[in-house]
Amino acid sequence: MARNYSVDGNATNTASATLPLVNLVSATTVRPKVNDILMGSDAAPADNAAKYALQRGTTAGTPGSSITPQAIDPGDPAALASAGLAVFGAGPTLTASAFLLQWAQNQRATFRWFAIPGKELVLPAAVNSLNLMSLVVGGSAVNMVFAIQYEE
Amino acid sequence: MTPLKAEAEYLDSIHEHKEHGAIVLDGVQVASTKMCPHCGAHYISRKGSGIKRTFCFRCGESTCGKQECEACIPLERWLETVERNWAKLNSSIGV
């Protein structure tokens, strides 16, 4: 039975087509399946809109720091997948046009996307990454807080 | 780029009868997403977008509309191909 994990963190949503805010990196022994994404801002409310996307990559890149995925069930073992957080020194090798989800979000709104069982965003059992990109920022870049939940 | 309200971006979205995912803003569902059976991407159907999507009769689902997804290469086959190539690469370099 699949085990559920959560990757939580925060980063400034500086617009970049090459450097992600956060990424989830799969391993050769597991296919992570992202089923829930929650994102909002803890900055003072303002009308700053941004465009985000989840893009596939074939490498992990060099993250500024690592995030240890937390098991939703405390009885589950450590996650096999890993996660990296901005600011990336070297971006992951992104797959062109391989956007799995794109959305626009106002800073004032809390965004959530979830998938029904069987329709999750799947990563192959190889060192591939799923990268949360901030592609366009209208206004000022602000701190974004996110939670990415997946099963493996 | 300052919409009048947070959900303005999704006013033209179509709520799917059998949705594969949902977008929720501030606790209110504003859009449905469908999953492409070939690349695994989730997309929002928008009224008047002009995006031509292919309906794959083998997979029984609409695709995301990308040209690469017109041919039927199911997501599972793509995943297996990537995994097989990764294993070959690692074995060739002795990892």
Side-chain angles (χ1 to χ4, degrees), chain A residues 117-138:
Chain A
K119 298 298 182 183
E120 301 90 351
L121 305 178
V122 186
L123 287 173
V127 182
N128 270 214
S129 56
L130 185 63
N131 302 278
L132 175 58
M133 313 294 295
S134 174
L135 298 178
V136 177
V137 173

Side-chain angles (χ1 to χ4, degrees), chain A residues 31 100 110 112 116 119 125, chain B residues 10 20 22 24 26 42 83:
Chain A
R31 282 185 183 176
L100 299 190
T110 297
R112 183 186 177 210
I116 67 171
K119 298 298 182 183
Chain B
Y10 303 98
H20 295 157
V24 177
D26 294 334
H42 276 248
E83 292 161 1

Side-chain angles (χ1 to χ4, degrees), chain A residues 69-93:
Chain A
Q70 297 298 313
I72 301 296
D73 184 341
D76 285 341
L80 296 172
S82 59
L85 183 65
V87 177
F88 280 69
T93 302

Side-chain angles (χ1 to χ4, degrees), chain B residues 15-65:
Chain B
H15 279 260
E16 300 284 350
H17 173 57
K18 292 182 180 179
E19 59 189 19
H20 295 157
I23 290 178
V24 177
L25 289 184
D26 294 334
V28 178
Q29 181 173 343
V30 295
S32 302
T33 64
K34 294 284 281 186
M35 179 177 170
C36 176
H38 299 162
C39 67
H42 276 248
Y43 60 88
I44 301 169
S45 297
R46 297 183 181 272
K47 299 172 191 173
S49 67
I51 296 175
K52 295 181 181 178
R53 306 188 196 279
T54 307
F55 185 86
C56 179
F57 283 96
R58 287 178 64 184
C59 299
E61 297 283 357
S62 298
T63 68
C64 59

Side-chain angles (χ1 to χ4, degrees), chain A residues 100-122:
Chain A
L100 299 190
L101 182 68
Q102 291 193 60
W103 72 93
Q105 182 179 346
N106 190 300
Q107 180 190 334
R108 295 180 186 273
T110 297
F111 170 91
R112 183 186 177 210
W113 170 84
F114 63 88
I116 67 171
K119 298 298 182 183
E120 301 90 351
L121 305 178
V122 186

